[in-house]
Structure formats: structure tokens, C-alpha cells
Amino acid sequence: MASAHPYAQPMLRDNALQGKTIVVTGGGTGLGRAMTTYFLQLGANVVISSRKLDVLEKTAAELREQTNNANILAVQCDVRKYDEVEALLEKTIETFGGVDVLLNNAAGNFISPTERLSHKAFDVIVDIVLKGSYNCTLAFGKRWIADKKPGTILSIVTTYASVGSAYVVPSAAAKAGVLAMTRSLAVEWAKYGIRANAIAPGPFPTEGAWSRLFPEPLASKLDPAANVPLKRVGDHQELANLAAYMVSDFSAYMNGEVVTLDGGEWLNGAGEFNKLELLTPDMWDHIEKTMRR
Ligand code: HXC
Ligand code: NAP
């Protein structure tokens, strides 16, 4: 059997995150779970949090077994509620003696024409994504500053945080806010030893995203890989590899950066002449002949 492609294999050396305590919001499912798995394999202590404690506890039990690392804790926390975020921070410090990394990964999203949204539908997305991220960032940042401890913040945004996107407008507006916060705090909090960075993933199949962004009959008509120049979707391990590097001390000089991991997807949508990809060699012969004439 052929071995997995390098992008589907762990990248960092053994124990690269030994001794680090990382809080992953939305860590029970999807990409949060994938990053948590790799952090545990690299020796980190990880706290996973979200609204559904049963999901978190099941994930924690499975990952303890799978990674042979028992240092995973499930804590219920709705990131929209500042008191719950403060309780998450306290529980983390009480359990592991400190906290080194905040991974803002929790999100909510669904596709809809914007004029069909109620103001509450707009609120629910912005509250989870933007308010949730600033609640966590503020609580963790204040603590690091008060304790004179360094810290690292990594936020998962999207490629459309920079360019916008139709039909996911609350998410686009909120993710843009998270990106602006990341770049602002990278400068303001560097003096405290706090770094802030972001990852902008392209399409990575997860149950949470796919059920809300590619529901039937869309899923059978729209191939998420079709717009990606590399003609594939992302593998969870390659995102986990990047995230592990960005939360580790190996990336100590990286600050205020957003790393796009999308196989070239957003640039494909942006370039004026990119659709000429569809032309055949015969068509090019004809065009060249006409132009030279
Ligand atoms: C229009 C909708 C709607 C829909 C909900 N609402 N779904 N409106 N179309 N499909 C409206 C409701 O009617 C209500 O407004 C308001 O939104 C709140 O809805 P609730 O169901 O009460 O909210 P809640 O139970 O808190 O659920 C939040 C949620 C849900 C965001 C709607 O989908 C969720 O829990 N999501 C979490 C996980 C997730 O979304 N993962 C995907 C991330 S993918 P009214 O006015 O009726 O009260 C991602 C990646 C993007 O971000 C990039 C991919 C390439
Ligand atoms: P997912 O599995 O649905 O993850 C979202 C997580 O957020 C869930 O675990 C959910 O858990 C949690 N969450 C939602 N509301 C919350 C709240 N109020 N408080 C705390 N936690 C909450 O989807 P995913 O695809 O892995 O997405 C993970 C991240 O990647 C998100 O930031 C998303 O925007 C980003 N992203 C994904 C893709 C992709 O292609 N998959 C592309 C670009 C960016 P509960 O329901 O238990 O609260």
C-alpha cells in the first residue's frame, strides 16, 4: 500500500509542544478536533471547549486513547458569554498551572441571501465569530499581561475575511473583524510578549461546514475542489501541521500574519484572465493566428 502523501503526515518533531497548554474553542469537532489531535500527539496539554459538553467529552475520551496523551480536558463554554470564558480560563489554569496558547476556532455559519436574514440570524453568526473571539482574546490577554507571561493567539479565519463573499455576509463581516483584531493586537501586545496570527483555510471537508455551506441539492452540483487550482480540498493534517508550527516557539518571529492555506483558490477567483484555463490548445492556435494577423 502506498504511504500517505507528506501533506497528510505529521510534520513537527516528537514532543515539539511538550509543556505547552493550549485552549481550543470549538475543539470537539471538525478542524478544532484535528488540530487538538496533533497538539496532543506533540505532547501538549489541551483544553477543548464549546457549547455541547457531551460532544466534547466523547472527543476527549477518544483522543486520550488515540494519542496516548491523557492531558486533555473538556470544558463547556459558550464563547459569546464573557463569564463563561473567564471560567474556562480559570479551569485551565487550575488544571494545568497556566495557559500558553488561545486558538480561536469556534464559529457559526450558513449560506443565505442577506435580505432573507433576520437581525437575529445576523447576530448569531457575528456573536459566535467576532464577539466569541474578542471575548476569549480579551480575557486571555488581560491575564497574560497581569501575570507578565507570554502568550500566543491563533485565530482561524477564512480567505473571504480579506476579500468578502456573497451569501455568507455575517460570517465575512465577522471574520474580517477577527483578522483586523489579529493585526492590531500583533502590534499593540507585542511589548507584552503576546503574538497574534491567523490561518485562512480554503475548503476542508467537515460535517459542520459542509452541512451548512454545501447542503443538497448544492452538494451534488457544486464541487468544492473545482475552483482550487490544485484540484483538491485540504487534508486536516496539513492544517494541523501549520497550526502546530504557528502555536509553537519555532514561529517566534511570526506576528500579525495571516497564512492562506487554500491551494490557490481565492486567487483563482480574483485573476482577470484565470478562466482562460478553459481554452484548448486548438483555441489558442486560432487566437494566436487571429492576433498576429
Ligand atoms: C436563515 C437562519 C438559518 C438559515 C438559523 N437561522 N439558520 N436563518 N437561514 N439557514 C436564524 C434562526 O431562524 C434565528 O433567527 C437565528 O438564526 C438563530 O438561530 P438558532 O437556530 O436559534 O441559533 P443556534 O441554535 O445558536 O445555532 C447557531 C447556528 C448553527 C449558527 C445557526 O448553524 C450552529 O450552531 N452552528 C455552529 C457550527 C457551524 O456553523 N459550523 C460551520 C462553520 S464553517 P430568528 O429571527 O428566527 O430568531 C465556516 C467556514 C467557512 O465558518 C468557509 C468554508 C470554505
Ligand atoms: P465545525 O466542526 O462546525 O466547528 C465549529 C465549532 O464551533 C463546533 O465545535 C461548535 O461546537 C463550536 N461553536 C459554535 N458556536 C459556539 C459557541 N457559541 N461557543 C463555543 N463554541 C461554539 O466546523 P469546522 O469546519 O471545523 O470549522 C472550524 C473553524 O474553521 C471555524 O472557525 C471555521 O470558520 C473555519 N473554517 C473552516 C473551513 C472549512 O472548510 N471547514 C474553511 C475556512 C474556515 P458546539 O456546537 O458544541 O458549540
Side-chain angles (χ1 to χ4, degrees):
M1 207 173 72
S3 62
H5 193 282
Y7 65 68
Q9 294 175 26
M11 184 180 85
L12 293 192
R13 64 164 167 70
D14 287 353
N15 302 321
L17 296 178
Q18 193 76 44
K20 287 236 182 272
T21 297
I22 303 173
V23 172
V24 182
T25 67
T29 64
L31 301 181
R33 177 181 169 134
M35 292 184 280
T36 296
T37 306
Y38 192 39
F39 297 162
L40 288 168
Q41 285 167 346
L42 292 170
N45 311 317
V46 187
V47 178
I48 53 173
S49 71
S50 77
R51 295 167 299 179
K52 299 187 193 105
L53 188 59
D54 53 335
V55 173
L56 295 170
E57 281 178 339
K58 185 165 179 289
T59 295
E62 287 168 2
L63 296 189
R64 249 177 231 123
E65 179 113 330
Q66 185 188 327
T67 65
N68 236 348
N69 182 345
N71 295 328
I72 175 167
L73 177 73
V75 179
Q76 186 167 30
C77 169
D78 184 333
V79 289
R80 293 170 292 187
K81 300 180 179 151
Y82 195 77
D83 55 337
E84 293 188 18
V85 170
E86 284 191 308
L88 164 68
L89 178 60
E90 292 311 322
K91 187 79 194 158
T92 302
I93 294 171
E94 185 189 308
T95 308
F96 293 117
V99 60
D100 303 286
V101 177
L102 165 66
L103 177 37
N104 286 316
N105 167 77
N109 204 357
F110 51 76
I111 48 167
S112 175
T114 306
E115 67 277 14
R116 292 172 69 126
L117 295 174
S118 69
H119 65 90
K120 286 187 185 156
F122 215 114
D123 281 347
V124 78
I125 303 301
V126 174
D127 284 355
I128 299 170
V129 175
L130 181 55
K131 186 175 191 173
S133 299
Y134 72 65
N135 275 347
C136 293
T137 301
L138 194 61
F140 282 62
K142 277 171 184 278
R143 177 57 71 100
W144 284 324
I145 293 165
D147 292 350
K148 297 191 166 43
K149 294 256 168 68
T152 298
I153 303 161
L154 178 63
S155 297
I156 308 299
V157 294
T158 57
T159 49
Y160 59 66
S162 300
V163 295
S165 175
Y167 302 106
V168 285
V169 169
S171 169
K175 293 284 193 183
V178 175
L179 183 54
M181 177 174 72
T182 299
R183 289 172 165 154
S184 307
L185 288 178
V187 174
E188 189 180 332
W189 282 358
K191 60 179 172 285
Y192 301 119
I194 299 171
R195 295 189 295 131
N197 290 295
I199 298 177
F204 283 74
T206 64
E207 164 63 25
W210 258 227
S211 62
R212 294 170 176 96
L213 303 173
F214 303 104
E216 287 300 346
L218 217 55
S220 39
K221 293 193 167 34
L222 255 186
D223 173 11
N227 284 331
V228 180
L230 292 173
K231 295 298 172 224
R232 68 171 176 89
V233 292
D235 185 282
H236 288 196
Q237 183 63 45
E238 59 193 324
L239 181 81
N241 282 338
L242 176 62
Y245 166 70
M246 289 176 74
V247 302
S248 77
D249 295 334
F250 296 114
S251 62
Y253 203 46
M254 184 186 280
N255 191 25
E257 186 56 76
V258 54
V259 180
T260 299
L261 195 68
D262 75 341
E265 186 195 39
W266 85 265
L267 284 169
N268 191 25
E272 180 84 29
F273 295 103
N274 290 350
K275 292 291 172 283
L276 298 189
E277 178 78 13
L278 295 171
L279 299 192
T280 62
D282 283 354
M283 289 166 161
W284 277 117
D285 288 344
H286 178 73
I287 288 167
E288 187 177 344
K289 220 185 280 171
T290 315
M291 273 195 301
R292 285 183 182 278
R293 207 188 291 148

